[in-house]
Amino acid sequence: MLSAPDLRGHTVLALHAHPDDEAIFTGITLRRLADAGARVVLVLATGGELGESRVPLAPGESVTRRRIAELESSAALLGVSRLVLLGRRDSGLPGWPSASHARALAGADPLALAGRVAELADAEGAGTLIHDDEPGIYGHPDHRAAGRIGAIAAELTGATSYRITVDREHLHVSARGAHLVHGAADAAAVGYGRVTAEITLAIEGSSEHLASKRAAITAHASQVDPAQVPVGEFAAAYGYEWFVRDGAPGTLDLLGNAHLLAGAATA
């Protein structure tokens, strides 16, 4: 039985690098927070400009415009109260020359962007920040940048920080090759995630939460083919979301901890 806390009066700010990251890595968490009454503020650092569209674009439609429209649909499905765009540019995969673009997130001043995020968190009264971990989940330059920005913003505001990751040992056993992070890591020729013992918190969802998460992922139709997230295998690959928490337990912990080592982590 999932914990159903009353989180009215709580505000959580989630910072992500690209449209679709919010659904893939935190879709259950955001939906459960919203269902519990929390205000969810979603901040996207880039518009995912370098993600090629797998579907035809409308005449005059850019990839960025399409991806932002998909992001808005995903945010609505996940119960997001406010969506904020930082306006930086997708940096591309490790080693790509696009990282040197003047607006690329990877080359931006993390302290300046963290200041913007901190101001937003303060204005919203957000006591909890969600952001990528230091390795950027799978090493993407923009995820690494989002990790640095989020960590600094949490330090500036004193908010509880939850760093997003994936449990690679769990995925290796339960969903080998079935999570989108596998393809992303292969494309970047890097590793991904953390071992189980490094993770503080695992959040799970009901069948309804999983349905919302899958709908949010597939709302990003320009990037994700529904066949990549088949219904029959979805729970095995996407039924948990993993975090490393800095500091004492906070708002996300109130959703319950499904981590295999939860007892050891809190002892």
Side-chain angles (χ1 to χ4, degrees):
M1 185 70 176
L2 294 178
S3 174
D6 182 353
L7 297 182
R8 288 174 293 181
H10 291 255
T11 299
V12 175
L13 186 152
L15 170 66
H16 282 283
H18 313 111
D20 74 14
D21 292 331
E22 81 293 337
I24 295 168
F25 297 110
T26 59
I28 290 172
T29 302
L30 301 186
R31 184 68 261 179
R32 286 193 61 194
L33 287 167
D35 288 348
R39 177 171 172 81
V40 177
V41 178
L42 176 60
V43 181
L44 264 292
T46 81
E49 292 81 357
L50 299 185
E52 295 183 4
S53 180
R54 53 168 294 275
V55 297
L57 300 175
E61 183 182 33
S62 66
V63 169
T64 305
R65 182 177 296 180
R66 177 59 177 265
R67 295 199 70 177
I68 295 304
E70 292 171 347
L71 172 63
E72 290 169 345
S73 297
S74 171
L77 287 163
L78 298 177
V80 170
S81 301
R82 181 182 178 188
L83 175 61
V84 179
L85 306 176
L86 291 183
R88 303 303 300 190
R89 187 177 185 270
D90 189 342
S91 306
L93 292 175
W96 285 18
S98 49
S100 63
H101 189 280
R103 288 181 43 247
L105 179 62
D109 179 359
L111 184 57
L113 287 178
R116 289 178 59 188
V117 174
E119 288 177 1
L120 177 60
D122 282 339
E124 287 281 356
T128 299
L129 264 62
I130 300 172
H131 57 86
D132 290 293
D133 65 356
E134 310 93 305
I137 307 175
Y138 64 97
H140 191 292
D142 288 338
H143 285 260
R144 293 173 65 91
R148 291 191 294 271
I149 293 162
I152 296 170
E155 185 174 353
L156 291 172
T157 61
T160 301
S161 172
Y162 290 89
R163 293 174 281 153
I164 306 161
T165 187
V166 295
D167 186 333
R168 64 171 175 263
E169 292 181 310
H170 173 91
L171 291 177
H172 181 74
V173 172
S174 299
R176 189 177 302 185
H179 195 289
L180 289 167
V181 76
H182 294 127
D186 287 346
V190 295
Y192 68 92
R194 294 173 180 262
V195 298
T196 303
E198 294 180 283
I199 295 168
T200 311
L201 177 69
I203 292 178
E204 63 180 329
S206 66
S207 58
E208 290 79 10
H209 299 130
L210 282 165
S212 294
K213 176 171 180 167
R214 186 175 184 276
I217 292 174
T218 56
H220 294 278
S222 70
Q223 306 300 305
V224 182
D225 184 338
Q228 293 176 274
V229 286
V231 173
E233 302 171 17
F234 192 77
Y238 298 97
Y240 296 95
E241 293 170 354
W242 296 278
F243 303 88
V244 177
R245 185 189 66 242
D246 290 329
T251 302
L252 264 60
D253 290 84
L254 298 176
L255 297 175
N257 192 353
H259 193 279
L260 178 65
L261 303 178
T266 58

